[in-house]
Amino acid sequence: MTGSAQHDVIIAGAGIAGSTLALALAQAGLRPMLIDPVAFDDQIAPTFDGRASAIAYSAFRQWRALGLAEALEPHAQRIEQILVTDGRTPGASAGAPTPFFLRFDSAEIADRSEGEPLGYLLENRHIRAVLAGAVKRAGIEVMAPARVIRADVTAREATVTLQDGRVLTAPLVVGAEGRGSVIRSAAGIGAVGWDYPQTGVVATVRMERPHGGVAHEYFLPGGPFAILPLTDNRASLVWTESSARGEALKAARPEVFQAHLARRFGEFLGELTVEGPIFTYPLSLQLAERFVAPRVALLGDSAHGIHPIAGQGLNLGLKGAAALAEVLVDAIRLGEDIGSEVVLARYAAWRTFDTVTLAVGTDLFVRLFSNDNPLLRLVRGVGMAAVNRIAPARKFFMQEAGGAVGDLPRLLRGEAL
């Protein structure tokens, strides 16, 4: 411990990545504290976060290692297949569908993934509820609602100041409070990125026919349209449109929204019924210039925010939580100062290349697919057809999506710290 600090790590942001980090640290004997401007009860309300997340099977192993699987599994829909199609905007003049497609099947990598699916679909509100319950049971101190307005560091400790005037100290502070991170700004870490002229429209629908655990992604000129299977024969729709169209869809009368939805969805799963509110989210890319500074580490959207086209944003945050937890736990067992630059540099070295590579790849993917250029359409079609015919390539992409490629932290291998 340093000075008057009562905690080993102060985590600003009690979202999914921040809470997962806190649980991993607490399980290994450290004393984390969570601070969040939103009360836990509000974070699990159906109207707070309407998204569902595709969780890589390695990320789900982390939750299993933390003792959360039993509570999460009733809400987790296995993804057994992913079908990817390059399409055209529906309409009378659309022409015939293209012949190019990709099919990923969990059975192809069952020998490498120990029978895991390609991933799991979970509604964010259920994930948040399970994490909140586990945080309380673990006795982790939570200040919520409370807002960090300032962070300062000395050679020995980090100090955060809350909006109500309280001052807290610890050897390390983690910024996990999202793209507008106060901790990142206070540490003097810049961010690069840009907005996409797109909005993500998210809705939950119930289907007449069984979805069979199959996820569909259609690449349309306005952006991808994903049908992600949920439990109870429902699906989460992630419908990327131009910003103007996205706002118009959110404001549309139910029957108008339903008509637009039916045109894109098709009839292969029968009649659709929209359940719950429709949400819209602006889409952008943002990368922190560094992931660490003296006595500061960044996690989740504070470090990286990417387009949802590949469904990897939250998985990046969960990978980061596993890596940071392992670095800190190993350091404290060796008697090192967990806020020192030499310790934090291990976390940055572990996660920076993978994160930047995925962010750049995702951005290129968006630009390649979110258009109707005939030449680019031909290039991506040929590429999809080639990957679909080469089994080793398909298996690599499936393992990459499952988070099982590269130097994995112990938690992502299902091992406790």
mmCIF file with all atom_site columns, all heavy atoms in Angstrom, residues 44 73 102 110 150 175 192 205 209-210 246 250 265 296 316 328 356 360 410:
data_model
loop_
_atom_site.group_PDB
_atom_site.id
_atom_site.type_symbol
_atom_site.label_atom_id
_atom_site.label_alt_id
_atom_site.label_comp_id
_atom_site.label_asym_id
_atom_site.label_entity_id
_atom_site.label_seq_id
_atom_site.pdbx_PDB_ins_code
_atom_site.Cartn_x
_atom_site.Cartn_y
_atom_site.Cartn_z
_atom_site.occupancy
_atom_site.B_iso_or_equiv
_atom_site.pdbx_formal_charge
_atom_site.auth_seq_id
_atom_site.auth_comp_id
_atom_site.auth_asym_id
_atom_site.auth_atom_id
_atom_site.pdbx_PDB_model_num
ATOM 1   N N   . ILE A 1 44  ? -29.095 -1.929  -15.050 1.00 0.00 ? 44  ILE A N   1
ATOM 2   C CA  . ILE A 1 44  ? -29.697 -3.195  -15.459 1.00 0.00 ? 44  ILE A CA  1
ATOM 3   C C   . ILE A 1 44  ? -31.148 -3.029  -15.912 1.00 0.00 ? 44  ILE A C   1
ATOM 4   O O   . ILE A 1 44  ? -31.811 -3.999  -16.241 1.00 0.00 ? 44  ILE A O   1
ATOM 5   C CB  . ILE A 1 44  ? -29.610 -4.249  -14.333 1.00 0.00 ? 44  ILE A CB  1
ATOM 6   C CG1 . ILE A 1 44  ? -30.403 -3.797  -13.099 1.00 0.00 ? 44  ILE A CG1 1
ATOM 7   C CG2 . ILE A 1 44  ? -28.160 -4.502  -13.958 1.00 0.00 ? 44  ILE A CG2 1
ATOM 8   C CD1 . ILE A 1 44  ? -30.372 -4.813  -11.966 1.00 0.00 ? 44  ILE A CD1 1
ATOM 9   N N   . GLU A 1 73  ? -25.534 -18.473 -18.053 1.00 0.00 ? 73  GLU A N   1
ATOM 10  C CA  . GLU A 1 73  ? -25.924 -19.448 -19.077 1.00 0.00 ? 73  GLU A CA  1
ATOM 11  C C   . GLU A 1 73  ? -27.417 -19.449 -19.425 1.00 0.00 ? 73  GLU A C   1
ATOM 12  O O   . GLU A 1 73  ? -27.763 -19.645 -20.599 1.00 0.00 ? 73  GLU A O   1
ATOM 13  C CB  . GLU A 1 73  ? -25.449 -20.844 -18.665 1.00 0.00 ? 73  GLU A CB  1
ATOM 14  C CG  . GLU A 1 73  ? -23.963 -21.039 -18.967 1.00 0.00 ? 73  GLU A CG  1
ATOM 15  C CD  . GLU A 1 73  ? -23.380 -22.302 -18.373 1.00 0.00 ? 73  GLU A CD  1
ATOM 16  O OE1 . GLU A 1 73  ? -24.042 -22.906 -17.491 1.00 0.00 ? 73  GLU A OE1 1
ATOM 17  O OE2 . GLU A 1 73  ? -22.261 -22.688 -18.772 1.00 0.00 ? 73  GLU A OE2 1
ATOM 18  N N   . LEU A 1 102 ? -20.337 -16.454 -47.068 1.00 0.00 ? 102 LEU A N   1
ATOM 19  C CA  . LEU A 1 102 ? -19.419 -17.146 -46.159 1.00 0.00 ? 102 LEU A CA  1
ATOM 20  C C   . LEU A 1 102 ? -20.249 -17.912 -45.152 1.00 0.00 ? 102 LEU A C   1
ATOM 21  O O   . LEU A 1 102 ? -21.252 -17.398 -44.647 1.00 0.00 ? 102 LEU A O   1
ATOM 22  C CB  . LEU A 1 102 ? -18.537 -16.131 -45.419 1.00 0.00 ? 102 LEU A CB  1
ATOM 23  C CG  . LEU A 1 102 ? -17.162 -15.798 -45.993 1.00 0.00 ? 102 LEU A CG  1
ATOM 24  C CD1 . LEU A 1 102 ? -16.573 -14.621 -45.211 1.00 0.00 ? 102 LEU A CD1 1
ATOM 25  C CD2 . LEU A 1 102 ? -16.234 -16.988 -45.902 1.00 0.00 ? 102 LEU A CD2 1
ATOM 26  N N   . ALA A 1 110 ? -14.592 -27.812 -33.507 1.00 0.00 ? 110 ALA A N   1
ATOM 27  C CA  . ALA A 1 110 ? -14.926 -28.455 -32.232 1.00 0.00 ? 110 ALA A CA  1
ATOM 28  C C   . ALA A 1 110 ? -13.717 -29.121 -31.604 1.00 0.00 ? 110 ALA A C   1
ATOM 29  O O   . ALA A 1 110 ? -13.563 -29.145 -30.375 1.00 0.00 ? 110 ALA A O   1
ATOM 30  C CB  . ALA A 1 110 ? -16.049 -29.469 -32.444 1.00 0.00 ? 110 ALA A CB  1
ATOM 31  N N   . ARG A 1 150 ? -11.563 14.608  -11.524 1.00 0.00 ? 150 ARG A N   1
ATOM 32  C CA  . ARG A 1 150 ? -10.147 14.967  -11.611 1.00 0.00 ? 150 ARG A CA  1
ATOM 33  C C   . ARG A 1 150 ? -9.302  13.795  -11.151 1.00 0.00 ? 150 ARG A C   1
ATOM 34  O O   . ARG A 1 150 ? -9.715  13.013  -10.293 1.00 0.00 ? 150 ARG A O   1
ATOM 35  C CB  . ARG A 1 150 ? -9.854  16.195  -10.740 1.00 0.00 ? 150 ARG A CB  1
ATOM 36  C CG  . ARG A 1 150 ? -8.409  16.664  -10.746 1.00 0.00 ? 150 ARG A CG  1
ATOM 37  C CD  . ARG A 1 150 ? -8.239  17.945  -9.969  1.00 0.00 ? 150 ARG A CD  1
ATOM 38  N NE  . ARG A 1 150 ? -6.832  18.289  -9.818  1.00 0.00 ? 150 ARG A NE  1
ATOM 39  C CZ  . ARG A 1 150 ? -6.377  19.391  -9.248  1.00 0.00 ? 150 ARG A CZ  1
ATOM 40  N NH1 . ARG A 1 150 ? -7.253  20.272  -8.759  1.00 0.00 ? 150 ARG A NH1 1
ATOM 41  N NH2 . ARG A 1 150 ? -5.090  19.623  -9.152  1.00 0.00 ? 150 ARG A NH2 1
ATOM 42  N N   . GLY A 1 175 ? -8.923  3.854   -15.944 1.00 0.00 ? 175 GLY A N   1
ATOM 43  C CA  . GLY A 1 175 ? -9.990  4.565   -16.646 1.00 0.00 ? 175 GLY A CA  1
ATOM 44  C C   . GLY A 1 175 ? -10.784 3.589   -17.484 1.00 0.00 ? 175 GLY A C   1
ATOM 45  O O   . GLY A 1 175 ? -10.284 3.070   -18.484 1.00 0.00 ? 175 GLY A O   1
ATOM 46  N N   . VAL A 1 192 ? -7.212  9.444   -31.058 1.00 0.00 ? 192 VAL A N   1
ATOM 47  C CA  . VAL A 1 192 ? -7.392  9.698   -32.486 1.00 0.00 ? 192 VAL A CA  1
ATOM 48  C C   . VAL A 1 192 ? -8.607  8.919   -32.965 1.00 0.00 ? 192 VAL A C   1
ATOM 49  O O   . VAL A 1 192 ? -8.953  7.878   -32.403 1.00 0.00 ? 192 VAL A O   1
ATOM 50  C CB  . VAL A 1 192 ? -6.145  9.284   -33.291 1.00 0.00 ? 192 VAL A CB  1
ATOM 51  C CG1 . VAL A 1 192 ? -4.962  10.131  -32.906 1.00 0.00 ? 192 VAL A CG1 1
ATOM 52  C CG2 . VAL A 1 192 ? -5.836  7.801   -33.089 1.00 0.00 ? 192 VAL A CG2 1
ATOM 53  N N   . VAL A 1 205 ? -36.458 -8.634  -31.624 1.00 0.00 ? 205 VAL A N   1
ATOM 54  C CA  . VAL A 1 205 ? -37.662 -9.156  -32.268 1.00 0.00 ? 205 VAL A CA  1
ATOM 55  C C   . VAL A 1 205 ? -37.877 -10.610 -31.867 1.00 0.00 ? 205 VAL A C   1
ATOM 56  O O   . VAL A 1 205 ? -36.933 -11.335 -31.567 1.00 0.00 ? 205 VAL A O   1
ATOM 57  C CB  . VAL A 1 205 ? -37.579 -9.056  -33.814 1.00 0.00 ? 205 VAL A CB  1
ATOM 58  C CG1 . VAL A 1 205 ? -37.443 -7.620  -34.266 1.00 0.00 ? 205 VAL A CG1 1
ATOM 59  C CG2 . VAL A 1 205 ? -36.439 -9.899  -34.360 1.00 0.00 ? 205 VAL A CG2 1
ATOM 60  N N   . ARG A 1 209 ? -40.488 -18.653 -36.608 1.00 0.00 ? 209 ARG A N   1
ATOM 61  C CA  . ARG A 1 209 ? -39.821 -19.933 -36.822 1.00 0.00 ? 209 ARG A CA  1
ATOM 62  C C   . ARG A 1 209 ? -38.516 -19.983 -36.032 1.00 0.00 ? 209 ARG A C   1
ATOM 63  O O   . ARG A 1 209 ? -37.893 -18.948 -35.780 1.00 0.00 ? 209 ARG A O   1
ATOM 64  C CB  . ARG A 1 209 ? -39.537 -20.134 -38.314 1.00 0.00 ? 209 ARG A CB  1
ATOM 65  C CG  . ARG A 1 209 ? -40.789 -20.174 -39.163 1.00 0.00 ? 209 ARG A CG  1
ATOM 66  C CD  . ARG A 1 209 ? -40.459 -20.260 -40.644 1.00 0.00 ? 209 ARG A CD  1
ATOM 67  N NE  . ARG A 1 209 ? -41.663 -20.015 -41.455 1.00 0.00 ? 209 ARG A NE  1
ATOM 68  C CZ  . ARG A 1 209 ? -41.644 -19.451 -42.649 1.00 0.00 ? 209 ARG A CZ  1
ATOM 69  N NH1 . ARG A 1 209 ? -40.498 -19.060 -43.179 1.00 0.00 ? 209 ARG A NH1 1
ATOM 70  N NH2 . ARG A 1 209 ? -42.776 -19.266 -43.313 1.00 0.00 ? 209 ARG A NH2 1
ATOM 71  N N   . PRO A 1 210 ? -38.041 -21.182 -35.677 1.00 0.00 ? 210 PRO A N   1
ATOM 72  C CA  . PRO A 1 210 ? -36.804 -21.297 -34.883 1.00 0.00 ? 210 PRO A CA  1
ATOM 73  C C   . PRO A 1 210 ? -35.582 -20.770 -35.640 1.00 0.00 ? 210 PRO A C   1
ATOM 74  O O   . PRO A 1 210 ? -35.433 -21.013 -36.837 1.00 0.00 ? 210 PRO A O   1
ATOM 75  C CB  . PRO A 1 210 ? -36.681 -22.812 -34.644 1.00 0.00 ? 210 PRO A CB  1
ATOM 76  C CG  . PRO A 1 210 ? -38.041 -23.367 -34.865 1.00 0.00 ? 210 PRO A CG  1
ATOM 77  C CD  . PRO A 1 210 ? -38.688 -22.494 -35.899 1.00 0.00 ? 210 PRO A CD  1
ATOM 78  N N   . GLY A 1 246 ? -31.197 6.485   -39.741 1.00 0.00 ? 246 GLY A N   1
ATOM 79  C CA  . GLY A 1 246 ? -31.262 5.863   -38.421 1.00 0.00 ? 246 GLY A CA  1
ATOM 80  C C   . GLY A 1 246 ? -32.189 6.613   -37.481 1.00 0.00 ? 246 GLY A C   1
ATOM 81  O O   . GLY A 1 246 ? -33.016 6.011   -36.784 1.00 0.00 ? 246 GLY A O   1
ATOM 82  N N   . LYS A 1 250 ? -35.875 5.383   -35.837 1.00 0.00 ? 250 LYS A N   1
ATOM 83  C CA  . LYS A 1 250 ? -36.193 5.400   -34.407 1.00 0.00 ? 250 LYS A CA  1
ATOM 84  C C   . LYS A 1 250 ? -37.507 6.145   -34.150 1.00 0.00 ? 250 LYS A C   1
ATOM 85  O O   . LYS A 1 250 ? -38.288 5.767   -33.267 1.00 0.00 ? 250 LYS A O   1
ATOM 86  C CB  . LYS A 1 250 ? -35.055 6.046   -33.618 1.00 0.00 ? 250 LYS A CB  1
ATOM 87  C CG  . LYS A 1 250 ? -35.301 6.030   -32.107 1.00 0.00 ? 250 LYS A CG  1
ATOM 88  C CD  . LYS A 1 250 ? -34.167 6.674   -31.345 1.00 0.00 ? 250 LYS A CD  1
ATOM 89  C CE  . LYS A 1 250 ? -34.448 6.619   -29.839 1.00 0.00 ? 250 LYS A CE  1
ATOM 90  N NZ  . LYS A 1 250 ? -33.371 7.258   -29.056 1.00 0.00 ? 250 LYS A NZ  1
ATOM 91  N N   . PHE A 1 265 ? -35.289 -8.049  -43.606 1.00 0.00 ? 265 PHE A N   1
ATOM 92  C CA  . PHE A 1 265 ? -35.181 -9.332  -42.916 1.00 0.00 ? 265 PHE A CA  1
ATOM 93  C C   . PHE A 1 265 ? -35.577 -10.485 -43.828 1.00 0.00 ? 265 PHE A C   1
ATOM 94  O O   . PHE A 1 265 ? -34.991 -11.570 -43.773 1.00 0.00 ? 265 PHE A O   1
ATOM 95  C CB  . PHE A 1 265 ? -36.085 -9.306  -41.679 1.00 0.00 ? 265 PHE A CB  1
ATOM 96  C CG  . PHE A 1 265 ? -35.702 -10.273 -40.600 1.00 0.00 ? 265 PHE A CG  1
ATOM 97  C CD1 . PHE A 1 265 ? -35.142 -9.819  -39.427 1.00 0.00 ? 265 PHE A CD1 1
ATOM 98  C CD2 . PHE A 1 265 ? -35.922 -11.634 -40.748 1.00 0.00 ? 265 PHE A CD2 1
ATOM 99  C CE1 . PHE A 1 265 ? -34.793 -10.697 -38.417 1.00 0.00 ? 265 PHE A CE1 1
ATOM 100 C CE2 . PHE A 1 265 ? -35.576 -12.523 -39.740 1.00 0.00 ? 265 PHE A CE2 1
ATOM 101 C CZ  . PHE A 1 265 ? -35.005 -12.049 -38.567 1.00 0.00 ? 265 PHE A CZ  1
ATOM 102 N N   . VAL A 1 296 ? -1.622  5.087   -14.194 1.00 0.00 ? 296 VAL A N   1
ATOM 103 C CA  . VAL A 1 296 ? -2.901  5.083   -14.919 1.00 0.00 ? 296 VAL A CA  1
ATOM 104 C C   . VAL A 1 296 ? -2.880  3.982   -15.983 1.00 0.00 ? 296 VAL A C   1
ATOM 105 O O   . VAL A 1 296 ? -1.892  3.822   -16.708 1.00 0.00 ? 296 VAL A O   1
ATOM 106 C CB  . VAL A 1 296 ? -3.163  6.443   -15.600 1.00 0.00 ? 296 VAL A CB  1
ATOM 107 C CG1 . VAL A 1 296 ? -4.354  6.367   -16.542 1.00 0.00 ? 296 VAL A CG1 1
ATOM 108 C CG2 . VAL A 1 296 ? -3.375  7.533   -14.555 1.00 0.00 ? 296 VAL A CG2 1
ATOM 109 N N   . LEU A 1 316 ? -12.824 -6.971  -27.006 1.00 0.00 ? 316 LEU A N   1
ATOM 110 C CA  . LEU A 1 316 ? -11.547 -6.295  -26.800 1.00 0.00 ? 316 LEU A CA  1
ATOM 111 C C   . LEU A 1 316 ? -11.416 -5.825  -25.352 1.00 0.00 ? 316 LEU A C   1
ATOM 112 O O   . LEU A 1 316 ? -10.355 -5.961  -24.733 1.00 0.00 ? 316 LEU A O   1
ATOM 113 C CB  . LEU A 1 316 ? -11.424 -5.093  -27.738 1.00 0.00 ? 316 LEU A CB  1
ATOM 114 C CG  . LEU A 1 316 ? -10.803 -5.301  -29.109 1.00 0.00 ? 316 LEU A CG  1
ATOM 115 C CD1 . LEU A 1 316 ? -10.725 -3.967  -29.838 1.00 0.00 ? 316 LEU A CD1 1
ATOM 116 C CD2 . LEU A 1 316 ? -9.426  -5.925  -29.016 1.00 0.00 ? 316 LEU A CD2 1
ATOM 117 N N   . LEU A 1 328 ? -1.280  -7.290  -13.087 1.00 0.00 ? 328 LEU A N   1
ATOM 118 C CA  . LEU A 1 328 ? -1.296  -6.710  -11.745 1.00 0.00 ? 328 LEU A CA  1
ATOM 119 C C   . LEU A 1 328 ? -1.151  -7.784  -10.663 1.00 0.00 ? 328 LEU A C   1
ATOM 120 O O   . LEU A 1 328 ? -0.417  -7.605  -9.682  1.00 0.00 ? 328 LEU A O   1
ATOM 121 C CB  . LEU A 1 328 ? -2.587  -5.915  -11.528 1.00 0.00 ? 328 LEU A CB  1
ATOM 122 C CG  . LEU A 1 328 ? -2.808  -4.716  -12.468 1.00 0.00 ? 328 LEU A CG  1
ATOM 123 C CD1 . LEU A 1 328 ? -4.109  -4.000  -12.120 1.00 0.00 ? 328 LEU A CD1 1
ATOM 124 C CD2 . LEU A 1 328 ? -1.639  -3.753  -12.413 1.00 0.00 ? 328 LEU A CD2 1
ATOM 125 N N   . VAL A 1 356 ? -4.872  -2.301  -31.926 1.00 0.00 ? 356 VAL A N   1
ATOM 126 C CA  . VAL A 1 356 ? -4.721  -1.399  -33.078 1.00 0.00 ? 356 VAL A CA  1
ATOM 127 C C   . VAL A 1 356 ? -4.960  -2.159  -34.379 1.00 0.00 ? 356 VAL A C   1
ATOM 128 O O   . VAL A 1 356 ? -5.630  -1.667  -35.300 1.00 0.00 ? 356 VAL A O   1
ATOM 129 C CB  . VAL A 1 356 ? -3.332  -0.738  -33.074 1.00 0.00 ? 356 VAL A CB  1
ATOM 130 C CG1 . VAL A 1 356 ? -3.098  0.038   -34.365 1.00 0.00 ? 356 VAL A CG1 1
ATOM 131 C CG2 . VAL A 1 356 ? -3.195  0.189   -31.870 1.00 0.00 ? 356 VAL A CG2 1
ATOM 132 N N   . VAL A 1 360 ? -7.912  -1.088  -36.984 1.00 0.00 ? 360 VAL A N   1
ATOM 133 C CA  . VAL A 1 360 ? -7.619  -0.711  -38.372 1.00 0.00 ? 360 VAL A CA  1
ATOM 134 C C   . VAL A 1 360 ? -8.313  -1.667  -39.341 1.00 0.00 ? 360 VAL A C   1
ATOM 135 O O   . VAL A 1 360 ? -8.898  -1.248  -40.341 1.00 0.00 ? 360 VAL A O   1
ATOM 136 C CB  . VAL A 1 360 ? -6.097  -0.696  -38.608 1.00 0.00 ? 360 VAL A CB  1
ATOM 137 C CG1 . VAL A 1 360 ? -5.782  -0.523  -40.100 1.00 0.00 ? 360 VAL A CG1 1
ATOM 138 C CG2 . VAL A 1 360 ? -5.446  0.420   -37.802 1.00 0.00 ? 360 VAL A CG2 1
ATOM 139 N N   . ARG A 1 410 ? -4.407  -15.999 -18.805 1.00 0.00 ? 410 ARG A N   1
ATOM 140 C CA  . ARG A 1 410 ? -4.877  -17.241 -18.174 1.00 0.00 ? 410 ARG A CA  1
ATOM 141 C C   . ARG A 1 410 ? -6.396  -17.283 -18.058 1.00 0.00 ? 410 ARG A C   1
ATOM 142 O O   . ARG A 1 410 ? -7.018  -18.348 -18.243 1.00 0.00 ? 410 ARG A O   1
ATOM 143 C CB  . ARG A 1 410 ? -4.232  -17.393 -16.781 1.00 0.00 ? 410 ARG A CB  1
ATOM 144 C CG  . ARG A 1 410 ? -2.732  -17.598 -16.834 1.00 0.00 ? 410 ARG A CG  1
ATOM 145 C CD  . ARG A 1 410 ? -2.184  -18.133 -15.519 1.00 0.00 ? 410 ARG A CD  1
ATOM 146 N NE  . ARG A 1 410 ? -2.269  -17.194 -14.423 1.00 0.00 ? 410 ARG A NE  1
ATOM 147 C CZ  . ARG A 1 410 ? -1.346  -16.266 -14.137 1.00 0.00 ? 410 ARG A CZ  1
ATOM 148 N NH1 . ARG A 1 410 ? -0.288  -16.137 -14.923 1.00 0.00 ? 410 ARG A NH1 1
ATOM 149 N NH2 . ARG A 1 410 ? -1.485  -15.462 -13.097 1.00 0.00 ? 410 ARG A NH2 1
#
